[in-house]
Amino acid sequence: MSEKRFCNGSEKLTIREMIRCTMRGLKVVQKVIPGALKLNCLNNVLEALNPLFVLYFSSMIISELSGNREISRIVLYVALTVGTAFLFRISSSLISYRTFKCGANNVYERMSKLYAFRYASMDYPHVEDNEVNELMHDIKAKQTANGFGLLRLNSDIPMLFGKTVGLVASIVLLAGMFAPNPDGAFINSPIVIILLILASVVIPSVIQAFMQKRLNKLLQKSLNDLVKTQTLNQYYLNNFINNSNSGKDVRIFGLQNSIMNTLIKAQAWYKGKWKRAGCETSAVTAVVGIFFVVLIYAVIGLRALSGMYNIGEIARYVGAIGAFSVSATSFVGLFTSLYRNASYLPMLFDYLNLPTRKYHGTLKTDINQKIAYELELHDVSFKYPGTDIYALKNVSIKFQQGKRLAVVGRNGSGKTTLVKLLCRLYDPTCGIITLNGVDIREYILDEYIKILSVVFQDFSLLHLPIGQNVAVESDYDAETVKEALKKTGFDSRLSELENGLDTAVYKGYDDSGVMFSGGEAQKIALARALYRNAPFVVLDEPTAALDPPAEYEIYTKFDSIINGKTTVYISHRLSSCRFCDDIAVFKDGELIQCGNHETLLADGNGEYFKLWTTQAEHYTEK
């Protein structure tokens, strides 16, 4: 059994570990939404204190009205009651506005951006690691379903802070209840009140903790189902039913009922035991808490009848007891929630702190079109992480300035792996790759990437205007973009579009967007590579989405398209090979042949000859 790499939320934490994880998580929240957490804490404190201040001054008004009725004191207490409430309300509104300016209103989006940015910036081997992808989906599913993770910290910590202050303030208001017993009656003893107050907090808290433990066990047992449910929801609802590409299948084969039945079955556990257990926990805790509060009210009434409290004090103590009970119960619930949440934070830290193993050099490439750049592989071997099988074995090949090299071979022969190594998505297991004699790992990664323009078979276009898709920025040279599109043969299609370069690609960004065909999208992607004007152009299956006439158009114009650049084809259609200066043939990760089309075709026993004759009927000129 392989060793577990990541936490999964099932680990039990001590209180110290819980506090450590929570504090670490708060630092992340502070970075995502600077200042918002402190403002939320302050706002919760004000919301906790506001009713207690009003309660205190109101009780003083009642006491004065039932006692000496001194007008100046009554006016003072009324002014303090109204003024305090007004001041708290204004302060709360200003803090809420400041919190809004900090971006706390879209905290979910900011957290999602945090995860997305981490995914986009992590080493590429992590992107292709199934365990990393499962970890990411697990984090998102638990966040979506129960708010576990940073979202829980952002909401619960300020509330916990407010409830703590409210608890202390309530105790201060209750201080007068513990006055010495004037007549010696047991009911008037402060010990009775102390015991009842403690019982009203401890007993419901113990019951809540016990039932919450039972609920947590049920939740943990069902958590894997929960993750699967959220994954199914996201896939079927977001990526399938609401996806225009799958809309035809949904309607033709009547998949609506099948999909909905799958989702209903997956959600059945939530609507059953777990939901019922949650309701039972809340109900039992509430009933027990109310019982003790009513008992305390009765004691306060009996003590008042004995003359210990005036009417104003009765109002104050009754209100303070209610506030104390609510604050205490909420405090216990929030602490329990944060303890449960802390067990899920380590998996988030695992994701955010995935190690960066790629070496970042210090040299600059100083891109200059007049400089001759040469890439060369020196006895390079490579195997993917987690496997002992080599995808490339002892490959040595030079990419000469201005030459066109085709890399061909059967599926799994190592062609795309070669591209990944050239782009430094991976580093060789053995051997080195050099740029003008220098190991490419010695160059600053971002600088090195600038010498490459790459178009992958599974390229992605943004749901943005054509111009921005080609230039990959909003501020671009329109004429240069048009020239790049012209070279790829997209100019005639562009002339038909009313908005020209401002035409949105697809409809995700703009309802007036155009759903381009696969071949048209391929031409836009090729134009993007040309617009970058890098010395090296790498095309991984460049004609996969093009029909034969479009493919012929691209290849016959290729001399003008590449404009003397070094170009590497990764292709399964050997027709491209006839336009290349050299052809590298790969098989089982090894470079087994290299030469031009005629030379390789003359070797009747070679791999290239076998591949060519298999496809000859598609490419032989008539």
Side-chain angles (χ1 to χ4, degrees):
M1 182 180 293
S2 60
E3 183 180 353
K4 185 177 67 172
R5 293 174 56 194
F6 304 120
C7 298
N8 60 11
S10 62
E11 296 80 8
K12 292 184 179 180
L13 304 180
T14 64
I15 297 296
R16 178 178 294 181
E17 290 171 334
M18 171 260 186
I19 294 174
R20 188 185 301 119
C21 286
T22 300
M23 295 303 296
R24 185 178 175 186
L26 289 176
K27 292 180 181 179
V28 179
V29 174
Q30 177 64 17
K31 289 181 180 180
V32 176
I33 320 172
L37 192 64
K38 295 178 181 178
L39 291 171
N40 276 329
C41 287
L42 181 57
N43 204 22
N44 275 270
V45 168
L46 293 179
E47 289 180 359
L49 291 178
N50 183 20
L52 296 177
F53 269 87
V54 172
L55 172 64
Y56 175 76
F57 290 124
S58 298
S59 70
M60 296 301 291
I61 294 173
I62 296 173
S63 294
E64 193 62 36
L65 287 172
S66 63
N68 298 328
R69 298 187 179 182
E70 187 176 332
I71 299 299
S72 60
R73 285 183 174 275
I74 293 173
V75 171
L76 174 63
Y77 292 142
V78 170
L80 287 173
T81 302
V82 176
T84 302
F86 178 76
L87 182 62
F88 274 112
R89 179 56 57 193
I90 290 295
S91 300
S92 181
S93 298
L94 291 175
I95 292 172
S96 296
Y97 175 74
R98 188 75 186 93
T99 306
F100 174 81
K101 296 287 287 183
C102 290
N105 61 308
N106 58 352
V107 60
Y108 184 87
E109 293 180 9
R110 291 198 174 208
M111 294 301 177
S112 298
K113 288 179 181 178
L114 171 69
Y115 304 143
F117 181 80
R118 181 68 190 101
Y119 194 78
S121 59
M122 67 176 59
D123 285 353
Y124 188 76
H126 293 316
V127 175
E128 292 195 330
D129 188 330
N130 288 335
E131 289 189 46
V132 172
N133 284 286
E134 288 175 4
L135 176 65
M136 179 189 66
H137 290 305
D138 198 7
I139 292 171
K140 289 184 177 180
K142 288 168 181 173
Q143 173 182 284
T144 303
N146 283 327
F148 288 131
L150 299 180
L151 285 178
R152 182 64 59 91
L153 292 181
N154 183 65
S155 62
D156 283 9
I157 288 295
M159 287 194 291
L160 183 69
F161 203 80
K163 296 303 178 184
T164 303
V165 173
L167 199 61
V168 173
S170 300
I171 293 174
V172 172
L173 289 181
L174 292 172
M177 290 182 63
F178 312 120
N181 183 2
D183 58 9
F186 179 72
I187 194 66
N188 293 330
S189 171
I191 297 176
V192 174
I193 293 294
I194 293 174
L195 291 176
L196 284 175
I197 290 176
L198 289 176
S200 69
V201 174
V202 174
I203 295 178
S205 298
V206 170
I207 294 174
Q208 183 180 19
F210 174 78
M211 298 193 70
Q212 190 67 52
K213 185 177 181 181
R214 169 174 167 261
L215 182 63
N216 288 343
K217 286 182 178 179
L218 183 60
L219 175 61
Q220 186 62 49
K221 184 178 179 181
S222 305
L223 204 52
N224 290 334
D225 292 334
L226 170 63
V227 173
K228 292 176 182 177
T229 298
Q230 293 301 319
T231 303
L232 285 172
N233 277 335
Q234 182 172 357
Y235 173 73
Y236 282 120
L237 297 182
N238 297 336
N239 301 335
F240 201 85
I241 288 182
N242 296 330
N243 190 315
S244 59
N245 293 331
S246 55
K248 297 185 290 294
D249 290 325
V250 170
R251 286 155 180 78
I252 293 174
F253 294 102
L255 299 178
Q256 302 95 323
N257 293 334
S258 176
I259 291 173
M260 295 312 297
N261 288 336
T262 300
L263 295 180
I264 291 172
K265 183 178 180 181
Q267 295 170 352
W269 71 269
Y270 177 78
K271 295 180 179 179
K273 291 184 178 180
W274 191 80
K275 188 174 182 179
R276 184 167 57 253
C279 293
E280 290 173 356
T281 300
S282 301
V284 172
T285 305
V287 169
V288 174
I290 291 173
F291 171 77
F292 280 98
V293 169
V294 171
L295 195 59
I296 294 173
Y297 286 165
V299 173
I300 292 174
L302 292 174
R303 289 165 70 93
L305 290 175
S306 68
M308 289 190 64
Y309 309 139
N310 61 40
I311 297 177
E313 289 173 331
I314 293 173
R316 183 196 312 165
Y317 297 149
V318 168
I321 284 293
F324 178 85
S325 176
V326 171
S327 296
T329 304
S330 298
F331 179 90
V332 173
L334 288 168
F335 187 85
T336 304
S337 171
L338 288 170
Y339 179 79
R340 187 171 69 251
N341 182 71
S343 63
Y344 297 101
L345 292 177
M347 61 191 298
L348 174 64
F349 300 145
D350 283 344
Y351 178 74
L352 295 178
N353 296 292
L354 285 168
T356 299
R357 297 188 177 92
K358 189 181 296 295
Y359 177 76
H360 291 257
T362 57
L363 301 180
K364 292 187 176 182
T365 54
D366 296 324
I367 295 179
N368 188 325
Q369 297 299 329
K370 296 181 180 179
I371 297 178
Y373 292 97
E374 273 192 355
L375 274 170
E376 185 172 0
L377 278 71
H378 303 266
D379 198 26
V380 168
S381 297
F382 175 76
K383 57 182 178 181
Y384 286 97
T387 178
D388 294 328
I389 301 174
Y390 279 89
L392 288 179
K393 307 171 190 174
N394 309 115
V395 176
S396 296
I397 189 172
K398 179 183 290 188
F399 303 91
Q400 298 180 349
Q401 172 72 21
K403 299 293 185 179
R404 296 167 297 183
L405 173 70
V407 178
V408 301
R410 303 178 190 275
N411 290 336
S413 60
K415 305 187 297 298
T416 298
T417 300
L418 175 65
V419 176
K420 292 177 180 178
L421 294 181
L422 289 176
C423 298
R424 278 214 70 194
L425 296 176
Y426 289 93
D427 287 330
T429 304
C430 304
I432 62 171
I433 303 174
T434 59
L435 174 64
N436 291 352
V438 178
D439 189 335
I440 61 174
R441 290 172 291 193
E442 298 299 323
Y443 291 99
I444 299 172
L445 183 59
D446 291 341
E447 289 281 321
Y448 171 74
I449 292 299
K450 289 179 182 178
I451 73 166
L452 299 168
S453 284
V454 185
V455 181
F456 292 99
Q457 180 180 351
D458 52 350
F459 64 90
S460 297
L461 294 183
L462 303 175
H463 289 227
L464 292 172
I466 295 174
Q468 292 187 36
N469 267 281
V470 175
V472 200
E473 55 186 356
S474 56
D475 186 15
Y476 57 86
D477 184 342
E479 292 304 317
T480 306
V481 170
K482 289 180 180 178
E483 181 64 23
L485 290 168
K486 182 179 180 180
K487 288 181 178 180
T488 63
F490 190 80
D491 52 332
S492 59
R493 182 71 173 98
L494 183 65
S495 64
E496 299 173 358
L497 302 174
E498 181 179 354
N499 295 324
L501 295 179
D502 293 326
T503 302
V505 176
Y506 311 133
K507 296 182 180 293
Y509 168 76
D510 190 337
D511 289 339
S512 64
V514 177
M515 302 298 293
F516 293 106
S517 67
E520 291 171 338
Q522 187 88 49
K523 291 179 180 180
I524 296 174
L526 287 170
R528 177 195 292 169
L530 295 177
Y531 181 88
R532 188 166 183 171
N533 199 28
F536 282 87
V537 178
V538 181
L539 306 176
D540 188 357
E541 304 283 7
T543 59
L546 300 182
D547 52 32
E551 177 189 62
Y552 179 78
E553 177 187 1
I554 290 289
Y555 289 148
T556 54
K557 296 170 59 178
F558 204 70
D559 278 335
S560 63
I561 290 177
I562 63 170
N563 194 26
K565 300 179 186 297
T566 305
T567 308
V568 180
Y569 284 104
I570 308 295
S571 181
H572 71 281
R573 289 179 177 172
L574 299 190
S575 60
S576 60
C577 302
R578 300 182 60 181
F579 295 87
C580 295
D581 301 302
D582 289 297
I583 302 167
V585 184
F586 279 75
K587 183 178 181 180
D588 297 329
E590 297 183 83
L591 175 60
I592 59 173
Q593 286 182 284
C594 194
N596 59 36
H597 173 70
E598 288 74 18
T599 302
L600 295 176
L601 202 58
D603 183 1
N605 296 319
E607 178 70 10
Y608 183 81
F609 179 83
K610 296 176 184 177
L611 292 172
W612 177 265
T613 53
T614 301
Q615 299 181 13
E617 62 183 45
H618 301 291
Y619 301 114
T620 302
E621 293 181 357
K622 297 181 180 179

